[in-house]
Amino acid sequence: MSTVANDSGLRSGLRLGLPLAIAAALAFGMSGAWARGLIDAGWTPGAAVTVRIWVAALVLLVPTILALRGRWKLLRRNLGMIAAYGLLAVTATQLFYFQAVAVMDVGLALLIEYTAPIAVVLWLWMRRGEKPTGRSILGALIAFVGLVLMLDVLSGRSVDVGGILWAFGAMVGAAAYFLLSGRSDTGLPPIALAGSGLLVGALGLTVAGLVGILPMTWNTDDVTYRFGTVPWFVPVLAIGVIATALAYVLGIASTRLLGSRLASFIALAEVVAALLFGWLLLGQLPNLLQGVGAALVLAGVVVVKLGEPAASGSGDPALAVPAEELAEPS
């Protein structure tokens, strides 16, 4: 009877989590293209990401307060986790990604960031001893070959090493996002985790800007995209409200329903969305060799995910109970 109930719960979580995860990926995917327009108009990446996070934090402030009403002890109990989420999953991921798109194509930067599922697998191997399968190792090798082609290293053309390193930094932050978002033992509602994490990130970026660590320059000039010119607040609101506030809430909710591994796999739809918005807003498209490399990166990550053991118990693969424990009589 309990097995039937668990199976029903997993199917229900998948039915709800899948559309939420896809919606989150589409929302996240538009951020780079909108931000590149601001950067080309004279904004520094630090200013663009700080405004983005502040807009999202303010949008979610009231919903976060309402969600925590009468449960403020949850904040005190999870201060460390919220700080890690704000600094790694929010600040590091978004700042490093914006630094990357300032010097390289949006889609390519995001493809590097979205090797994060491989980092999740490696972390669970080191942290929990969950050794990857042969298929996962093969997928990682395929993705590595794809990265070599995607970065156009073999053609002898100059590659912006700084942009690549920023993108890999964003990958580390994205891996932290999936691992932390998948934790269902905190008691924090998804909107509360998103709101508090974004507020921490906004404060951290502001302090970094005030002390001079993070260069911040912005203006109120119109911003030009492929389809035309818009006032500066249009991209600011787009990346703050849709690509951040809404995206983080949907992302946390879907990750708790699907688990860290499966959610990071479905989030690859963000790469497709970024390529689409990069073309629609900026006219950016990879060349043929880079396109082949991008396809190999996606294929490699898919093989990695298919090679991982299925989730059990809680429905979160990051917190799954080992098979031998499930086999023990109760």
Side-chain angles (χ1 to χ4, degrees):
M1 180 68 70
S2 61
T3 301
V4 174
N6 287 337
D7 289 344
S8 177
L10 289 174
R11 285 195 298 270
S12 176
L14 184 61
R15 283 196 300 269
L16 179 59
L18 183 59
L20 291 179
I22 293 174
L26 291 174
F28 274 127
M30 68 173 62
S31 66
W34 285 116
R36 179 60 182 264
L38 288 171
I39 292 169
D40 289 344
W43 291 53
T44 58
V49 75
T50 301
V51 169
R52 172 190 185 182
I53 302 303
W54 267 117
V55 169
L58 292 176
V59 167
L60 293 182
L61 181 59
V62 172
T64 297
I65 292 173
L66 293 176
L68 289 173
R69 189 169 51 184
R71 296 188 290 174
W72 294 104
K73 62 181 180 181
L74 291 175
L75 282 182
R76 295 192 298 270
R77 186 192 308 165
N78 294 289
L79 278 178
M81 193 264 197
I82 292 172
Y85 191 89
L87 296 177
L88 289 175
V90 175
T91 303
T93 304
Q94 306 307 328
L95 178 59
F96 293 171
Y97 175 55
F98 278 18
Q99 293 280 8
V101 301
V103 294
M104 64 191 301
D105 283 1
V106 169
L108 299 183
L110 195 65
L111 276 165
I112 296 174
E113 179 184 337
Y114 265 77
T115 55
I118 298 176
V120 170
V121 171
L122 292 176
W123 171 259
L124 294 175
W125 183 13
M126 293 184 296
R127 184 72 173 178
R128 294 174 52 84
E130 298 178 6
K131 185 177 180 179
T133 63
R135 184 181 292 180
S136 292
I137 295 173
L138 174 63
L141 292 175
I142 293 173
F144 176 76
V145 173
L147 277 174
V148 172
L149 295 177
M150 191 181 68
L151 298 176
D152 220 2
V153 174
L154 300 180
S155 68
R157 294 169 57 186
S158 60
V159 178
D160 194 299
V161 177
I164 295 171
L165 293 177
W166 284 122
F168 274 113
M171 179 270 288
V172 174
Y177 161 78
F178 289 119
L179 290 167
L180 293 173
S181 295
R183 289 189 56 181
S184 57
D185 59 340
T186 63
L188 282 170
I191 200 166
L193 176 57
S196 57
L198 286 166
L199 183 59
V200 169
L203 291 172
L205 288 166
T206 302
V207 171
L210 290 175
V211 301
I213 298 175
L214 184 64
M216 287 198 187
T217 301
W218 66 89
N219 56 61
T220 57
D221 297 341
D222 289 345
V223 182
T224 300
Y225 294 97
R226 185 186 180 195
F227 62 82
T229 300
V230 296
W232 64 273
F233 57 80
V234 171
V236 166
L237 291 177
I239 61 176
V241 178
I242 301 175
T244 309
L246 179 63
Y248 270 97
V249 172
L250 293 175
I252 293 171
S254 62
T255 301
R256 290 186 178 179
L257 289 167
L258 300 173
S260 300
R261 285 195 181 103
L262 181 56
S264 64
F265 171 47
I266 296 172
L268 288 172
E270 183 180 340
V271 176
V272 179
L275 290 170
L276 175 63
F277 284 109
W279 173 67
L280 288 175
L281 300 183
L282 306 171
Q284 294 180 349
L285 279 177
N287 61 38
L288 179 60
L289 189 63
Q290 290 174 318
V292 173
L296 286 176
V297 169
L298 290 173
V301 176
V302 169
V303 172
V304 167
K305 304 309 294 182
L306 293 177
E308 289 306 298
S312 60
S314 66
D316 187 343
L319 303 172
V321 179
E324 58 271 19
E325 292 183 20
L326 292 176
E328 293 178 359
S330 57

